[in-house]
């Protein structure tokens, strides 16, 4: 069983991150024998991969279940570094936030907690479209149903595991199949049509990595079903861009009201005014404010 270790930039609070994943990402993450596990693709081949943290050595221990090539093992390490934001130096954010008496307590409370990114942009985009105007629990249920309907299965550790579907697998679906799983018609069309655009070459998600934030937003919002909030979530949880401020997000506005002790929920414009001081770490200020809601 191939194993390797990644040494994250400190501080790194894996326990709190793992707890969040197991509570809120039940469609993709599970616990097994002391590891947090999920399926990923390495060179397009599905694998089960497990994570645990060695407190003494301050290393993220990673197990890949199954036989992998050297190329796939190298790909796995890069993927883990991406997913767990291991190379982000949060100390710079904490120094910046220390100048804000409202944010500073949050950096103490959540020290070492990082955004866990999705392993690929298609998964992130589809999960974000699913979650539009839904609570997290039901969005997770719909995600799990999509995975069961269209994704591959993988046998590992004596269990059957589901793998998030590829664009090709989703593109083959009919809208009615998702409607039968309680997707509304419009959202079913959005998800399947996005997959078909990718398969047809009309939407190249890999090209987004070379674009500035606003260029990514402009590119994605030309796609039916993708608004600014969805594009910003992809920039946050798919690409890990550090200076995103999704000011229209209701959760963020609720958190700003609570943390900044406002007498009413701020407008999007007011959040942008308050958040202008968070740059160039708006993404982590936003994330910690979300975390403050519990």
């Amino acid at each position: 069983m191939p194993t390797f270790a990644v040494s994250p930039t400190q501080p790194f609070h894996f326990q709190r991150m793992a707890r969040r994943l197991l509570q809120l990402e039940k469609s993709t993450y599970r616990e097994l024998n002391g590891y947090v596990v999920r399926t990923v693709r390495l060179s397009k081949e599905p694998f089960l991969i497990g994570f645990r943290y060695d407190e003494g050595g301050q290393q993220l221990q990673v197990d890949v279940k199954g036989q992998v090539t050297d190329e796939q093992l190298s790909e796995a390490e890069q993927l883990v570094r991406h997913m767990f934001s291991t190379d982000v130096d949060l100390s710079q954010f904490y120094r910046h936030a220390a100048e804000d008496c409202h944010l500073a307590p949050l950096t103490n409370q959540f020290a070492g907690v990082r955004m866990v990114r999705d392993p690929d942009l298609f998964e992130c985009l589809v999960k974000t479209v699913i979650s539009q105007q839904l609570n997290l629990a039901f969005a997770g249920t719909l995600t799990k149903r999509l995975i069961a309907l269209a994704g591959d299965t993988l046998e590992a550790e004596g269990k059957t595991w589901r793998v998030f579907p590829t664009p090709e697998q989703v593109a083959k679906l009919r809208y009615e199949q998702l409607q039968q799983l309680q997707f509304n018609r419009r959202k079913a069309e959005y998800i399947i049509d996005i997959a078909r655009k990718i398969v047809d070459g009309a939407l190249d998600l890999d090209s987004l990595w070379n674009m500035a934030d606003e260029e990514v937003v402009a590119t994605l919002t030309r796609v039916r079903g993708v608004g600014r909030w969805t594009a910003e979530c992809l920039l946050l949880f798919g690409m890990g861009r550090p200076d995103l401020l999704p000011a229209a997000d209701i959760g963020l506005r609720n958190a700003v009201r609570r943390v900044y002790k406002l007498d009413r929920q701020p407008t999007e414009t007011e959040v942008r005014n308050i958040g202008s001081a968070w740059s160039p770490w708006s993404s982590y200020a936003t994330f910690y404010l979300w975390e403050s809601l519990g």
Side-chain angles (χ1 to χ4, degrees):
M1 183 185 299
T3 64
F4 60 89
V6 172
S7 299
T9 304
Q10 296 298 321
F12 186 80
H13 200 320
F14 180 75
Q15 286 73 18
R16 186 185 285 272
M17 293 157 65
R19 200 158 55 238
R20 186 179 195 277
L21 291 173
L22 294 171
Q23 290 173 350
L24 302 180
E25 293 283 348
K26 295 178 182 178
S27 59
T28 43
Y29 286 89
R30 290 163 63 181
E31 194 168 20
L32 178 71
N33 301 329
Y35 283 80
V36 176
V37 299
R38 68 153 291 161
T39 55
V40 299
R41 282 189 168 80
L42 303 174
S43 303
K44 300 185 179 180
E45 185 180 349
F47 286 91
L48 184 69
I49 189 167
F51 319 95
R52 68 178 177 83
Y53 192 61
D54 174 8
E55 291 284 355
Q58 295 188 326
Q59 288 186 318
L60 185 62
Q61 304 287 339
V62 184
D63 278 2
V64 182
K65 317 296 183 181
Q67 298 298 315
V68 296
T69 65
D70 290 343
E71 180 182 353
Q72 288 171 326
L73 201 58
S74 177
E75 184 181 342
E77 181 176 348
Q78 293 305 311
L79 189 63
V80 170
R81 288 184 177 278
H82 167 76
M83 290 169 61
F84 287 92
S85 307
T86 61
D87 300 328
V88 175
D89 185 358
L90 288 175
S91 64
Q92 298 179 42
F93 165 54
Y94 297 155
R95 286 194 293 270
H96 186 79
E99 300 174 7
D100 186 321
C101 64
H102 302 288
L103 278 185
L106 298 186
T107 64
N108 293 327
Q109 183 179 356
F110 302 120
V113 179
R114 292 143 189 271
M115 288 181 282
V116 178
R117 307 163 185 166
D118 287 309
D120 71 77
L121 296 185
F122 178 68
E123 177 178 328
C124 184
L125 183 55
V126 169
K127 286 163 65 174
T128 305
V129 170
I130 288 174
S131 67
Q132 291 170 354
Q133 298 180 320
L134 292 181
N135 64 58
L136 289 174
F138 189 52
T141 296
L142 291 183
T143 299
K144 188 179 294 186
R145 290 173 182 173
L146 173 65
I147 295 170
L149 173 66
D152 296 320
T153 58
L154 173 66
E155 300 298 326
E157 301 293 296
K159 299 176 183 291
T160 300
W161 305 83
R162 296 286 183 174
V163 186
F164 197 89
T166 64
E168 290 78 9
Q169 290 170 322
V170 175
K172 293 176 182 177
L173 298 177
R174 292 176 287 105
Y175 305 140
E176 293 77 15
Q177 289 177 277
L178 292 187
Q179 287 181 273
Q180 290 168 3
L181 301 180
Q182 290 187 284
F183 286 75
N184 65 45
R185 175 73 183 198
R186 185 169 295 177
K187 195 165 287 189
E189 291 174 359
Y190 294 163
I191 292 166
I192 293 173
D193 288 353
I194 286 170
R196 289 174 179 171
K197 280 183 176 292
I198 293 170
V199 172
D200 293 342
L203 177 61
D204 179 6
L205 294 182
D206 285 339
S207 69
L208 302 180
W209 293 103
N210 299 317
M211 298 182 188
D213 294 347
E214 284 304 318
E215 191 178 359
V216 171
V217 171
T219 298
L220 289 177
T221 52
R222 288 196 289 266
V223 177
R224 181 169 176 258
V226 180
R228 185 176 184 90
W229 177 84
T230 300
E232 288 175 332
C233 285
L234 182 113
L235 282 160
L236 280 165
F237 296 109
M239 305 179 77
R241 296 290 175 88
D243 201 22
L244 264 292
L245 178 55
D249 183 81
I250 296 299
L252 176 58
R253 290 161 63 187
N254 287 337
V256 169
R257 175 181 181 177
R258 176 181 174 184
V259 170
Y260 283 79
K261 297 179 172 55
L262 307 178
D263 58 6
R264 58 177 175 78
Q265 186 189 74
T267 65
E268 177 181 350
T269 299
E270 288 169 333
V271 170
R272 291 200 184 279
N273 289 338
I274 292 171
S276 63
W278 305 339
S279 185
W281 289 95
S282 301
S283 296
Y284 268 93
T286 295
F287 180 59
Y288 278 25
L289 283 160
W290 276 330
E291 286 290 279
S292 75
L293 295 174

